[in-house]
């Protein structure tokens, strides 16, 4: 018997509950979340000296000067002025979760070519259509492992008309809070704090240098020296994951995410190659809010509603899952691969 | 109160005022890209040396160059949120009959009206492709004045109050960024305020309660209304700061308002704040709370009645 | 007899060993997880952090992160990659692309992977690529890459003709974390490297720089007649023009304290001048025999045969040891890893299994170094390895009798680097049957013959000849992996 085709009407019954996941993520190793920009800095040039008298300039580097790649930041208007702050964009965390999920849940033959083609590169939409066909094949196979990925992360296609029966929004929403340093923090170089703070001061940062050596001469490779900032180990930030209309398999997947993150196999940001981006979940809570008439997911215990001013309170009821029970949902996920 | 359409006389009218403040980055796109929003990139000599224009997805702006939340977007997200929350409560509250629209043209006007009155409260309030709803959302204009930045790293524009955000698509197969999937977009930062104005006409108490319930959806912690793109990635959160609700609720109030307005015109001393909506009674907070509580109670009753 | 030079070269194979990522993937079941290891200093280890100059000596602090001394992952990784590239005839992932002709500094320009055409002037030549261009990391139509890029990742910048999105990038499958050092294992005042200081110039003591005007880094190609103006007037000198890198450079292990003494002015082995005086740089080091704290090396879906290859590269048998960091030429940075625990899994099941203790299996893998038949039996694709290169690596990185041998740079002195060879001397010592009147091309054999004949006049002409005539060379050549 053929398996039923992929059902993209995941919101046909509306949104009848959310699983609210609150994590605090602490950087075990430095974390590099870059935004593709560099700033300039000065360094006192002393014969036989190195790394001395560095002063950062929070603006684009001058042509002849030193430059350092900076970390993701955003602006905020507060108290009538424009302020800057560092944060891990939600897209970064969401992307890391998505990549891990594809690489560990989806059958290998469906892992490649799962990126939508560039629109401008495909005037006749041939690539778009081929992409749509690949996705359709993957989704119509209930054991491809692609269904949980699509259901959580959503499916979007340029070829909208042909994809009407596939496209849908994802059930996962990711929000991150900014780093919250108790006091303004400067940039460390070689373990010492630099005098001149540069840019957002809500996270401890350090400047790291890479200097590859030419293989034949062991001299520094010409043009290879580069500097970059990274968030220091020990910095932490809060993240919220909201899963709409949660299913037991979602909790199974969460169990894997937590374990793999804590093991360092699911990392954030760039430069995993030099061990960046290992984070530990130091605090975690799992609350289900579900419409009052529905039976909660197994293993969730009813808890009093302590929300203040929540418009859905009363209409939705609150339940809680002990984090330690998350692995009990793993078998539900296995049914989908 | 019976179900009324917008054009069935003037039975009541409301203006709901307030502010919406961004609490996360916001991008309501125009669908267009601006190649001149940021300077061209100089490629290295190894990459051919030419300069390349960088396309930046632009946000929708008002005539004064400031960002804007179109009324249609506000109305759309409120409707979508209500539909999602109420879809399973009962079809009386939220339903969609879009597939029937084709057949409506074959009916007489009376039949059409009769049919529409069987539609859900949500459809009556927000309209369908066949009929206009009773709720209007005005374009939310930006209230935040021009502000300068101390750096230009993210190409801050002090008039449009936007910076340019870069996002990268990572190919899970290789684990690396796809250069052609670098996406740059103008973004309104947290802390920018917009003026909210909704008007409603011929609203039943339940419909007004529904609107107020939906507005609280902006401040929901569990399932907040989000505006614009990248809602799944932390964008589009707005905090509602409630303002007054001007309410013209009864026939007597309507008559009194007309008479007072006419009088003030005759005396020639009409001040703006005493005319139009501003001359209307204000719906008390207690009344608002009671309206929301009433619809929530009805939702729960409907849920209990579900088979 | 002179000491051997502190570094030597692993010659390139004819072609790089490449496969498509899919072919690598198919080599065996994927293994993921992490090893917990410590790095033990066989000789003191220094990675440069701050360097503070003083009046008579400088001080170099060990690299720090979060105010903790640290061997940065990038250094460990660079060390592993250089070894892996040499062992598997891989691409040359890091290379200075061009050595242009510079007035008064570099007579002959050359490029690493491309020919450098003659500028048409007299005393100019078209230099062929100094490394076979097949060894340049590139985006190939057949998508094949080297083992190191498959395991350690790659970024290839697009070049002129290619559009940006053809840039080829792969995420690393091996992730190495920083290795922190407990303060108590630091030694602050015991070790130094020799250097020289000049009042106005950025003088630096070290080996000769890569030049196509000698046969130290580049192999013999031609001999030229060059007129040179000296204080004594014009001289006509022989210039030994080279054109292909000898190979990939690695440093020998030795005892740094013995080596330091060699360079100390009191030993009179090395001449310092009043305007370029001895200027030691004190090094803050991880002390000999001390270990770092435990750190992790991650494997992300590595086919088992390549996980075995990784294991034997990280733990390279009884004799070979890696070198890391600053002062390698003076004996610093000899290190070995010790396995503390391993947490791995076969990553074939979906969703993945829990990590398990793989220590026994890992020790089995480590024990395969460097038995070709056993490695083959473990399904490791032994054809990927350049066994000749392994032999050369064993000679250079072998620790056998390392403490008895002393490796030092040829001094800037008579009969050494300072010594010019006149054209006439070269003519007088030309091998039988070769007449040199102007420029002459020489093959490998002829180049060697010239260098041997001229050895009494100048020792460091030809790198190989110099090494083979050095003290202890027979012990070095007897080293096996």
């Amino acid at each position: 018997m053929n398996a039923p085709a992929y059902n993209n009407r995941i919101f046909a019954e509306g949104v009848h509950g959310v699983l609210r996941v609150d994590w605090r993520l602490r950087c075990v190793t430095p974390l590099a979340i870059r935004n593709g920009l560099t700033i300039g800095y000065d360094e006192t040039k002393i014969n036989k000296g190195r790394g001395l008298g560095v002063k950062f300039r929070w603006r684009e580097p001058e042509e002849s000067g030193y430059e350092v790649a900076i970390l993701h930041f955003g602006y905020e208007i507060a108290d009538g002025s424009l302020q800057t702050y560092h944060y891990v964009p939600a897209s970064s965390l969401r992307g890391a979760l998505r990549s891990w999920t594809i690489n560990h849940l989806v059958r290998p033959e469906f892992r490649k070519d799962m990126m939508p083609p560039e629109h401008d590169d495909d005037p006749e939409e041939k690539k778009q259509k081929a992409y749509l066909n690949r996705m359709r094949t993957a989704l119509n196979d209930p054991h491809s492992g692609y269904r949980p990925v699509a259901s959580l992360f959503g499916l979007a296609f340029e070829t909208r008309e042909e994809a009407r029966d596939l496209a849908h929004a994802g059930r996962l929403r990711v929000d991150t809070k900014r780093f919250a340093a108790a006091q303004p923090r400067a940039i460390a170089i070689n373990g010492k704090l630099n005098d001149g703070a540069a840019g957002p001061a809500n996270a401890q940062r350090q400047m790291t240098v890479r200097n590859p050596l030419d293989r034949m001469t062991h001299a520094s490779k010409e043009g290879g020296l580069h500097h970059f900032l990274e968030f220091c180990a020990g910095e932490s930030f809060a993240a919220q994951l909201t899963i709409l209309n949660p299913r037991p398999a979602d909790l199974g997947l969460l169990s894997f995410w937590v374990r793999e993150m804590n093991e360092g196999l699911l990392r954030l940001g760039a430069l995993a190659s030099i061990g960046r981006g290992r984070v530990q979940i130091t605090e975690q809570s799992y609350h289900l809010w579900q419409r009052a008439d529905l039976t909660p997911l197994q293993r969730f215990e009813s808890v009093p509603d302590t929300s203040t001013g929540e418009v859905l309170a009363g209409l939705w009821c609150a339940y809680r899952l002990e984090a330690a029970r998350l692995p009990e949902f793993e078998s539900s996920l296995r049914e989908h691969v | 109160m019976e179900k009324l359409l917008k054009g069935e006389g003037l039975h009541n009218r409301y203006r709901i005022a307030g502010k919406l403040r961004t609490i996360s980055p916001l991008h309501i796109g125009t669908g267009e890209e601006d190649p001149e929003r940021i300077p061209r990139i100089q490629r290295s000599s190894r990459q051919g040396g030419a300069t390349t224009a960088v396309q930046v997805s632009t946000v929708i702006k008002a005539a004064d160059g400031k960002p804007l939340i179109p009324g249609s977007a506000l109305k759309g997200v409120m409707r979508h949120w209500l539909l999602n929350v109420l879809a399973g409560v009962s079809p009386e509250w939220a339903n969609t009959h879009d597939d029937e629209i084709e057949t409506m043209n074959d009916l007489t006007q009376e039949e059409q009206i009769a049919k529409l009155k069987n539609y859900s409260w949500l459809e009556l309030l927000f309209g369908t492709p066949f009929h206009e709803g009773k709720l209007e959302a005005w374009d939310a204009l930006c209230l935040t004045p021009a502000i300068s930045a101390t750096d230009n790293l993210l190409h801050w524009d002090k008039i449009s109050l936007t910076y340019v955000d870069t996002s990268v698509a990572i190919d899970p197969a290789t684990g690396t960024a796809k250069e052609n999937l670098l996406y740059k977009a103008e973004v309104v930062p947290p802390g920018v305020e917009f003026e909210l104005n909704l008007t409603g006409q011929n609203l039943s108490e339940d419909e007004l309660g529904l609107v107020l319930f939906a507005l609280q959806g902006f401040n929901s912690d569990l399932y907040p209304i989000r505006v614009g793109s990248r809602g799944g990635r932390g964008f589009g959160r707005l905090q509602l700061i409630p303002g007054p609700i001007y309410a013209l609720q009864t026939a007597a109030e309507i008559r009194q308002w007309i008479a007072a307005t006419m009088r003030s015109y005759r005396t020639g001393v009409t001040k703006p704040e005493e005319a139009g909506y501003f001359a209307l009674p204000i719906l008390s907070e207690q009344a608002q709370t009671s309206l929301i509580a009433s619809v929530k109670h009805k939702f729960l009753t409907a849920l209990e009645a579900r088979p | 007899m002179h000491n051997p030079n502190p570094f030597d070269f692993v010659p390139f194979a004819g072609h790089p060993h490449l496969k498509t990522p899919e072919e690598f993937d198919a080599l065996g079941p994927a293994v993921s997880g992490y090893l917990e290891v410590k790095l033990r200093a066989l000789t003191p280890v220094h990675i440069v952090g701050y360097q503070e100059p003083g009046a008579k000596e400088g001080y170099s602090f060990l690299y720090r992160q979060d105010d903790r001394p640290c061997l940065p992952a990038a250094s460990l990784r660079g060390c592993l990659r250089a070894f892996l590239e040499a062992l598997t005839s891989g691409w040359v992932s890091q290379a200075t692309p061009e050595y242009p002709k510079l007035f008064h500094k570099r007579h002959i320009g050359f490029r690493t992977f491309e020919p450098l055409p003659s500028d048409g002037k007299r005393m100019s030549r078209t230099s062929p690529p100094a490394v076979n261009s097949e060894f340049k990391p590139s985006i190939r139509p057949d998508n094949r890459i080297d083992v190191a890029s498959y395991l350690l990742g790659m970024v290839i910048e697009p070049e002129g003709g290619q559009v940006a999105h053809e840039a080829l990038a792969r995420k690393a499958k091996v992730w190495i974390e920083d290795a922190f050092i407990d303060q108590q294992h630091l030694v602050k005042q015991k070790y130094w490297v020799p250097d020289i200081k000049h009042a106005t110039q950025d003088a630096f003591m070290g080996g000769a720089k890569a030049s196509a005007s000698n046969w130290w880094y580049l192999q013999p190609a031609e001999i030229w007649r060059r007129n040179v103006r000296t204080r004594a007037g014009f001289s006509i000198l022989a210039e030994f023009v080279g054109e292909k890198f000898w190979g990939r450079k690695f440093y020998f292990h030795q005892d740094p304290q013995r080596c330091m003494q060699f360079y100390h002015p009191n030993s009179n082995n090395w001449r310092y001048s009043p305007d370029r005086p001895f200027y030691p740089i004190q090094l803050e080091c991880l002390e000999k025999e001390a270990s770092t704290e435990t750190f992790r090396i991650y494997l992300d879906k590595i086919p088992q045969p390549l996980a075995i290859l990784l294991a034997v590269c990280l733990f390279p048998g009884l004799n070979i040891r890696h070198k890391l960091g600053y002062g390698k030429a003076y004996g610093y940075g000899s290190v070995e890893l010790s396995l503390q625990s391993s947490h791995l899994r076969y990553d074939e099941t979906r969703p993945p299994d829990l990590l398990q203790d793989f220590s026994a299996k890992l020790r089995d893998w480590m024990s395969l170094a460097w038995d070709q038949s056993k490695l083959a039996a473990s399904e490791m694709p032994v054809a990927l390895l350049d066994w000749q290169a392994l032999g050369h690596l064993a000679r250079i990185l072998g620790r056998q009798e390392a403490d008895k041998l002393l490796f030092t740079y040829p001094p800037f002195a008579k009969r050494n680097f300072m010594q010019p060879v006149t054209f006439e001397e070269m003519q007088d010592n030309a091998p039988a049957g070769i007449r040199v009147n102007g420029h002459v091309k020489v093959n490998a054999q002829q180049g060697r013959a010239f260098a041997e004949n001229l050895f009494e006049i100048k020792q460091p002409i030809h790198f190989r000849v110099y090494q083979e005539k050095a003290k202890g060379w027979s012990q070095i050549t007897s080293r096996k992996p």
Side-chain angles (χ1 to χ4, degrees):
Chain A
M1 198 177 83
N2 283 343
Y6 182 68
N7 176 13
N8 70 333
R9 293 179 51 76
I10 59 175
F11 296 111
E13 294 292 312
V15 173
H16 44 71
V18 298
L19 176 74
R20 171 66 176 274
V21 178
D22 286 277
W23 284 343
R24 175 153 285 279
L25 301 169
R26 187 177 67 84
C27 302
V28 181
T29 65
L31 171 65
I33 308 270
R34 299 183 188 169
N35 61 0
L37 301 175
T38 55
I39 57 162
Y41 71 91
D42 298 318
E43 181 175 331
T44 311
K45 199 77 177 125
I46 304 173
N47 192 5
K48 307 291 178 192
R50 184 165 147 177
L52 302 170
V54 173
K55 293 267 184 251
F56 292 100
R57 285 176 270 116
W58 194 250
R59 56 176 188 268
E60 286 178 353
E62 281 147 25
E63 272 192 17
S64 56
Y66 298 98
E67 64 179 72
V68 53
I70 57 170
L71 297 162
H72 193 87
F73 73 99
Y75 292 123
E76 175 190 34
I77 294 174
D79 304 325
S81 68
L82 190 68
Q83 299 172 5
T84 57
Y85 63 95
H86 281 302
Y87 69 109
V88 174
S91 54
S92 224
L93 175 57
R94 189 180 184 276
L97 298 174
R98 184 172 182 272
S99 284
W100 184 93
T101 310
I102 289 175
N103 283 322
H104 293 86
L105 232 54
V106 173
R107 271 219 309 271
E109 63 265 36
F110 292 120
R111 282 178 205 158
K112 282 192 77 179
D113 301 323
M114 287 303 182
M115 296 286 279
E118 172 77 337
H119 183 68
D120 295 344
D121 190 32
D122 187 24
E124 291 169 26
E125 295 189 348
K126 280 184 185 165
K127 290 181 188 171
Q128 298 286 353
K129 283 176 183 163
Y131 167 67
L132 175 63
N133 287 336
R134 285 196 298 277
M135 294 298 272
R136 190 182 297 284
T137 310
L139 288 164
N140 284 339
D141 178 345
H143 301 293
S144 69
Y146 213 87
R147 288 184 177 188
V149 179
S151 170
L152 280 174
F153 294 95
L155 288 167
F157 300 92
E158 292 271 346
T159 45
R160 287 190 189 153
E161 207 44 47
E162 291 91 333
R164 273 172 75 105
D165 60 329
L166 286 187
H168 64 77
R171 289 185 298 115
L172 173 69
R173 291 173 169 193
V174 180
D175 292 273
T176 51
K177 303 267 190 263
R178 63 194 67 176
F179 293 100
Q183 54 201 15
R185 294 183 179 180
I187 298 171
I189 305 169
N190 265 313
K192 288 185 192 169
L193 282 185
N194 186 259
D195 295 339
N202 66 317
Q204 179 75 66
R205 298 152 293 165
Q206 63 194 22
M207 183 166 85
T208 303
V209 184
R210 286 182 87 174
N211 188 11
L213 301 179
D214 178 280
R215 295 284 188 255
M216 281 71 66
T217 66
H218 265 231
S220 295
K221 176 189 166 184
E222 196 180 293
L225 180 72
H226 57 280
H227 298 75
F228 55 93
L229 299 185
E230 44 193 12
F231 298 117
C232 292
E235 290 297 305
S236 73
F237 64 97
Q240 276 177 5
L241 273 56
T242 305
I243 299 177
L244 311 181
N245 298 345
R247 306 163 181 180
D250 301 333
L251 287 137
L253 187 53
L254 274 165
S255 176
F256 281 99
W257 287 347
V258 170
R259 182 188 305 150
E260 296 278 291
M261 217 175 253
N262 285 337
E263 292 278 28
L265 292 161
L266 195 172
R267 299 173 100 96
L268 301 185
L271 299 176
S273 58
I274 51 166
R276 273 45 184 160
R278 174 145 73 99
V279 293
Q280 181 130 38
I281 300 177
T282 55
E283 294 168 29
Q284 50 182 325
S285 71
Y286 302 87
H287 285 91
L288 174 68
W289 285 78
Q290 194 164 256
R291 220 172 55 208
D293 60 314
L294 300 173
T295 311
L297 294 170
Q298 281 188 345
R299 302 179 185 90
F300 276 83
E301 296 166 5
S302 180
V303 287
D305 174 4
T306 54
S307 62
T308 50
E310 171 55 56
V311 69
L312 293 168
L315 193 60
W316 288 4
C317 296
Y319 307 89
R320 187 172 65 103
L321 178 77
E322 286 290 338
R325 301 200 68 177
L326 215 46
E328 295 172 32
F329 289 87
E330 289 180 5
S331 56
S332 303
L333 182 64
R334 292 201 167 88
E335 293 166 15
H336 295 273
V337 295
Chain B
M1 189 176 169
E2 65 169 316
K3 285 182 170 173
L4 286 172
L5 299 180
K6 186 177 183 179
E8 292 184 283
L10 176 65
H11 296 268
N12 58 39
R13 191 160 174 91
Y14 299 89
R15 174 173 165 184
I16 301 169
K19 289 179 191 171
L20 290 169
R21 180 191 290 148
T22 52
I23 54 172
S24 74
L26 172 72
H27 177 88
I28 304 176
T30 56
E32 291 172 351
E33 291 181 320
D34 182 352
E36 291 171 0
R37 175 65 174 78
I38 62 176
R40 295 168 73 89
I41 289 179
Q42 175 77 49
R43 297 269 169 206
S44 71
S45 54
R46 269 160 56 79
Q47 295 180 349
T51 60
T52 314
V54 182
Q55 298 288 354
V56 176
S57 294
T58 51
V59 299
I60 192 159
K61 298 179 190 91
D64 62 0
K66 287 201 175 179
L68 168 85
I69 306 178
S72 56
L74 279 177
K75 201 172 151 183
V77 291
M78 288 171 67
R79 182 186 191 280
H80 181 72
W81 186 85
L82 277 175
L83 181 64
N84 270 341
V85 170
L86 300 178
V89 171
S90 87
E92 188 193 345
W93 283 101
N95 205 347
T96 45
H97 290 88
D98 293 0
D99 52 339
E100 290 182 7
I101 303 307
E102 295 281 311
T103 61
M104 284 288 223
N105 289 326
D106 300 333
L107 305 178
T108 64
Q109 192 178 34
E110 288 74 19
E111 287 168 334
Q112 288 171 348
I113 291 171
K115 196 154 185 127
L116 281 174
K117 290 201 175 180
N118 280 323
Y119 279 17
S120 64
W121 287 111
L122 182 81
E123 288 165 295
L124 281 173
L125 185 60
F126 284 86
T128 64
F130 187 74
H131 88 291
E132 191 183 357
K134 294 184 285 184
L135 185 72
E136 294 169 10
W138 300 0
D139 289 347
L141 300 173
C142 181
L143 298 168
T144 305
I147 290 177
S148 297
T150 53
D151 68 71
N152 193 35
L153 287 167
L154 300 184
H155 305 285
W156 174 256
D157 181 74
K158 69 176 184 179
I159 303 297
S160 69
L161 301 173
T162 57
Y163 64 93
V164 175
D165 178 81
T166 305
S167 57
V168 185
I170 304 284
D171 183 347
T174 61
T176 52
K178 285 279 206 188
E179 192 176 346
N180 59 329
L181 293 176
L182 264 182
Y183 171 72
K184 287 185 183 288
E186 282 187 329
V187 167
V188 178
V192 174
E193 291 186 342
F194 295 89
E195 184 181 2
L196 172 76
N197 280 294
L198 301 176
T199 60
Q201 185 162 310
N202 295 350
L203 303 186
S204 68
E205 283 196 348
D206 285 347
E207 285 169 314
L208 181 57
L210 209 52
V211 175
L212 299 177
F213 177 73
L215 281 174
Q216 289 304 314
F218 283 104
N219 292 348
S220 170
D221 186 39
L222 299 176
Y223 179 46
I225 294 177
R226 293 182 195 242
V227 185
S229 62
R230 293 201 252 169
R233 297 167 180 82
F235 273 46
R237 288 286 307 272
L238 297 168
Q239 179 193 4
L240 171 75
I241 302 158
I245 298 179
Y246 305 98
L248 199 56
Q249 288 182 298
T250 63
E253 282 177 352
I254 293 169
R255 280 195 296 275
Q256 193 183 352
W257 173 69
I258 292 170
T261 304
M262 299 299 286
R263 265 199 311 279
S264 70
Y265 277 127
R266 279 201 297 275
T267 58
V269 290
T270 311
K271 295 176 188 167
E273 62 273 24
E274 291 169 357
Y277 283 107
F278 300 120
L280 297 181
I282 287 175
L283 194 69
S284 70
E285 274 187 38
Q286 194 185 3
Q288 295 178 37
T289 310
S290 156
L291 283 164
I292 294 173
S294 167
V295 288
K296 279 176 72 174
H297 179 72
K298 289 180 181 174
F299 302 155
L300 284 167
T301 310
L303 283 176
E304 282 164 16
R306 276 169 62 102
Chain C
M1 246 178 140
H2 61 279
N3 296 323
N5 186 65
F7 60 78
D8 209 315
F9 300 100
V10 174
F12 288 102
H15 307 280
H17 294 173
L18 308 176
K19 282 182 184 292
T20 64
E22 293 74 19
E23 286 168 341
F24 282 125
D25 289 342
L27 286 174
V31 178
S32 293
Y34 59 91
L35 317 178
E36 289 191 314
V37 297
K38 283 185 177 183
L39 181 141
R40 190 166 79 95
L42 302 170
T43 62
V45 182
H46 179 80
I47 308 278
V48 177
Y50 278 108
Q51 284 190 329
E52 284 182 355
K56 293 195 169 171
E57 61 178 34
Y59 194 84
S60 187
F61 289 91
L62 191 75
Y63 181 81
R64 275 169 171 75
Q65 190 173 287
D66 288 347
D67 212 17
R68 296 165 69 197
C70 162
L71 305 183
S75 295
L76 303 167
R77 185 176 182 77
C79 165
L80 173 66
R81 184 159 198 155
F83 183 82
L84 189 59
E85 284 175 2
L87 177 68
T88 60
S89 188
W91 284 333
V92 176
S93 64
Q94 300 291 354
T96 293
E98 183 167 354
Y99 296 81
K101 184 173 177 175
L102 295 173
F103 187 62
H104 271 320
K105 284 189 175 170
R106 194 181 288 130
H107 292 152
I108 302 164
F110 64 97
R111 290 186 179 138
T112 301
F113 297 112
E114 280 97 30
L116 181 64
S118 162
D119 61 10
K121 293 179 182 161
R122 210 172 62 83
M123 302 297 285
S124 173
R125 75 192 290 261
T126 293
S127 295
V131 175
N132 173 354
S133 58
E134 286 183 64
F135 286 92
K136 182 182 181 183
S138 61
I139 303 161
R140 298 168 53 97
D142 61 9
N143 287 327
R144 292 194 302 152
I145 58 175
D146 70 336
V147 188
S149 298
Y150 177 79
L151 289 177
L152 299 169
M154 62 191 282
V155 177
I156 298 176
E157 296 285 327
E159 294 192 17
Q162 293 168 321
V163 288
H165 67 254
E166 284 176 346
L168 186 56
R170 285 189 61 84
K171 191 184 172 196
K173 287 179 166 289
V174 179
W175 311 335
I176 301 180
E177 295 189 347
D178 297 318
F180 287 95
I181 297 168
D182 193 312
Q183 294 274 359
Q184 66 171 344
H185 296 316
L186 287 188
V187 57
K188 293 179 181 292
Q189 295 291 344
K190 192 169 165 187
Y191 300 108
W192 51 269
V193 289
D195 203 350
I196 49 176
K197 194 174 186 182
H198 189 271
T200 54
Q201 293 170 2
D202 203 2
F204 176 73
M205 185 173 136
K209 289 184 178 166
S211 165
S213 293
N214 60 46
W215 298 339
W216 202 244
Y217 279 88
L218 298 164
Q219 300 176 52
E222 296 179 14
I223 299 173
W224 286 6
R225 172 192 167 112
R226 185 177 285 279
N227 296 334
V228 178
R229 194 206 309 247
T230 64
R231 280 180 197 156
F234 275 99
S235 295
I236 303 170
L237 302 182
E239 183 167 13
F240 300 93
V241 177
E243 70 177 18
K244 292 260 175 191
F245 276 120
W246 285 109
R248 308 179 207 241
K249 181 175 172 181
F250 290 87
Y251 287 90
F252 291 98
H253 296 281
Q254 62 174 323
D255 173 9
Q257 279 178 303
R258 259 187 92 198
C259 184
M260 281 184 324
Q261 286 316 310
F262 176 89
Y263 289 99
H264 196 279
N266 294 347
S267 305
N268 289 322
N269 290 319
W270 198 271
R271 279 181 50 194
Y272 300 92
S273 61
D275 66 330
R276 289 166 193 269
F278 173 65
Y279 181 85
I281 311 271
Q282 298 281 346
L283 305 180
E284 185 187 35
C285 291
L286 168 66
E287 179 59 303
K288 183 181 173 181
E289 299 302 336
S291 293
T292 64
E293 293 173 11
T294 298
F295 65 98
R296 292 183 180 181
I297 298 174
Y298 279 82
L299 285 69
D300 181 33
K301 293 183 183 256
I302 297 183
Q304 182 169 294
L306 296 186
I308 296 172
L309 174 63
L310 181 66
V312 294
C313 285
L314 291 170
F315 306 95
L318 290 175
N319 301 322
I320 294 177
R321 291 295 175 268
H322 294 296
K323 291 202 76 166
L324 188 71
Y326 193 68
K328 292 189 198 84
Y330 309 107
Y332 296 96
S334 300
V335 298
E336 68 180 15
L337 293 178
S338 63
L339 182 69
Q340 305 297 303
S341 66
S342 68
H343 308 264
L344 296 169
R345 69 178 174 223
Y346 287 108
D347 224 335
E348 299 295 284
T349 50
R350 297 177 298 128
D353 295 329
L354 292 171
L355 299 178
Q356 296 164 7
D357 180 3
F358 258 51
S359 299
K361 188 166 278 189
L362 208 76
R363 289 189 198 286
D364 284 348
W365 295 351
M366 286 153 61
S367 72
L368 300 177
W370 296 96
D371 186 318
Q372 190 167 355
S373 56
K374 283 185 184 170
L375 284 167
S378 72
E379 296 185 358
M380 215 250 271
V382 289
L384 273 179
L385 267 61
D386 177 351
W387 294 92
Q388 282 198 329
L390 176 65
H392 285 277
L393 285 166
R395 281 185 184 185
I396 309 171
L397 293 176
R399 283 270 294 161
Q400 299 99 310
E401 301 194 71
D403 290 344
K404 293 183 187 158
L405 294 168
L406 184 60
F407 297 85
T408 57
Y409 288 127
F412 192 68
K414 286 187 177 172
R415 285 194 63 215
N416 274 288
F417 274 135
M418 202 175 84
Q419 181 75 49
V421 176
T422 65
F423 196 73
E424 197 179 343
E425 285 168 333
M426 184 273 298
Q427 283 177 314
D428 292 347
N429 288 282
I434 302 179
R435 288 171 63 94
V436 188
N437 292 320
H439 289 13
V440 64
K441 282 190 189 318
V442 291
N443 61 28
Q445 198 183 352
Q446 290 164 339
R448 173 179 279 273
F450 267 108
E452 285 178 349
N453 292 356
L454 286 161
F455 196 76
E456 288 308 313
I457 296 167
K458 178 172 183 168
Q459 293 180 352
I461 292 176
H462 183 288
F463 186 84
R464 289 256 62 83
V465 170
Y466 184 83
Q467 290 294 73
E468 288 164 18
K469 288 180 180 289
K471 273 184 243 173
W473 188 248
S474 60
Q475 286 154 280
I476 292 167
T477 51
S478 67
R479 286 174 175 171
K480 296 284 179 282

